[in-house]
Amino acid sequence: EVQLVESGGGLVKPGGSLRLSCAASGFTFSSYSMNWVRQAPGKGLEWVSSFSSSSSYIYYADSVKGRFTISRDNAKNSLYLQMNSLRAEDTAVYYCARDRQLLQGMDVWGQGTTVTVSS
Amino acid sequence: DIQMTQSPSSLSASVGDRVTITCRASQSISSYLNWYEQKPGKAPKLLIYAVSSLQSGVPLRFSGSGSGTEFTLTISSLQPEDFATYYCQQSYSTRTFGQGTKVEIK
């Protein structure tokens, strides 16, 4: 079964750090570009970051650029998001999502992990 | 950055109604337009990719059309399980989601 499972969410104080993980199974992880997408409480979806399969590109939303770092370990079938200098507005459910080939949508999603930034 | 604007933000409809949601891009995105459905407490689900291609397992009552900067998602006959929030998303330049359209029961 094709599956993505996120972990690492939790409660953190403003200015703190957190590292999210996404474990992939059931497909050849190294062949796919991967994304992080978040959703603040009661709000819409916001794309956060992408990491291409070939490692030829890494993109970030302006809202997280310079604070978040996406990485992947193809040997461990895992995607990561290192989040530093966290702010209250980073509070959200964070989803890991797989890109279909040729940039045609995100076809596999994890269940999400919740990050709460509060003092 | 490319902005995506959906209309309406919400709509009320009855079972059996034809529903159309519009998505406009701030610049041409060719055919790099995808649609998702999200139900409360659940992860989004890909419905349509590349403007009009139905993702595997998605019912035929869903269809997509458009090109350049204007796109539509149509549900030909709304079913009880279709009450949800729908998002468009461009993948032409990085990624951007529309703000969502909530489809509610009339």
Side-chain angles (χ1 to χ4, degrees):
Chain A
E1 180 192 3
V2 173
Q3 197 172 10
L4 297 171
V5 178
E6 302 94 337
S7 60
L11 174 63
V12 61
K13 289 181 168 54
S17 298
L18 213 53
R19 189 194 195 210
L20 305 184
S21 299
C22 171
S25 60
F27 65 98
T28 305
F29 179 73
S30 59
S31 296
Y32 290 86
S33 298
M34 298 296 296
N35 306 276
W36 287 100
V37 175
R38 68 184 181 184
Q39 187 168 36
K43 302 298 184 182
L45 301 172
E46 180 188 14
W47 168 77
V48 173
S49 183
S50 299
F51 198 128
S52 69
S53 57
S54 58
S55 301
S56 58
Y57 70 76
I58 292 176
Y59 296 137
Y60 298 97
D62 287 344
S63 58
V64 306
K65 204 172 291 182
R67 300 187 299 122
F68 290 11
T69 302
I70 190 172
S71 61
R72 64 190 295 165
D73 184 337
N74 289 337
K76 294 184 177 180
N77 293 331
S78 292
L79 181 74
Y80 306 100
L81 187 67
Q82 177 67 43
M83 304 186 295
N84 298 331
S85 303
L86 282 162
R87 307 166 179 167
E89 54 265 36
D90 295 319
T91 294
V93 175
Y94 284 74
Y95 295 102
C96 166
R98 184 183 85 170
D99 262 353
R100 289 187 85 256
Q101 303 295 349
L102 304 177
L103 305 178
Q104 294 180 336
M106 302 178 197
D107 65 340
V108 180
W109 293 69
Q111 84 288 353
T113 188
T114 300
V115 173
T116 303
V117 184
S118 174
S119 55
Chain B
D1 291 358
I2 298 175
Q3 308 303 316
M4 306 299 292
T5 304
Q6 286 181 234
S7 60
S9 296
S10 65
L11 64 91
S12 296
S14 301
V15 172
D17 283 354
R18 181 182 181 88
V19 168
T20 299
I21 298 168
T22 298
C23 178
R24 288 188 174 85
S26 59
Q27 66 183 74
S28 177
I29 56 171
S30 185
S31 298
Y32 292 93
L33 190 282
N34 312 300
W35 290 96
Y36 300 83
E37 173 188 86
Q38 188 182 33
K39 296 180 180 177
K42 300 293 188 183
K45 170 188 170 184
L46 179 65
L47 293 176
I48 289 173
Y49 62 90
V51 179
S52 59
S53 296
L54 221 56
Q55 175 69 350
S56 175
V58 174
L60 293 176
R61 62 181 179 274
F62 289 92
S63 63
S65 64
S67 65
T69 62
E70 188 152 336
F71 305 89
T72 60
L73 171 71
T74 299
I75 309 172
S76 60
S77 177
L78 200 64
Q79 297 301 300
E81 60 268 31
D82 300 336
F83 292 96
T85 300
Y86 294 87
Y87 296 91
C88 63
Q89 176 244 329
Q90 66 84 18
S91 48
Y92 178 81
S93 173
T94 66
R95 314 279 188 274
T96 315
F97 288 92
Q99 82 278 15
T101 295
K102 187 173 184 179
V103 176
E104 298 176 300
I105 301 172
K106 193 170 188 179

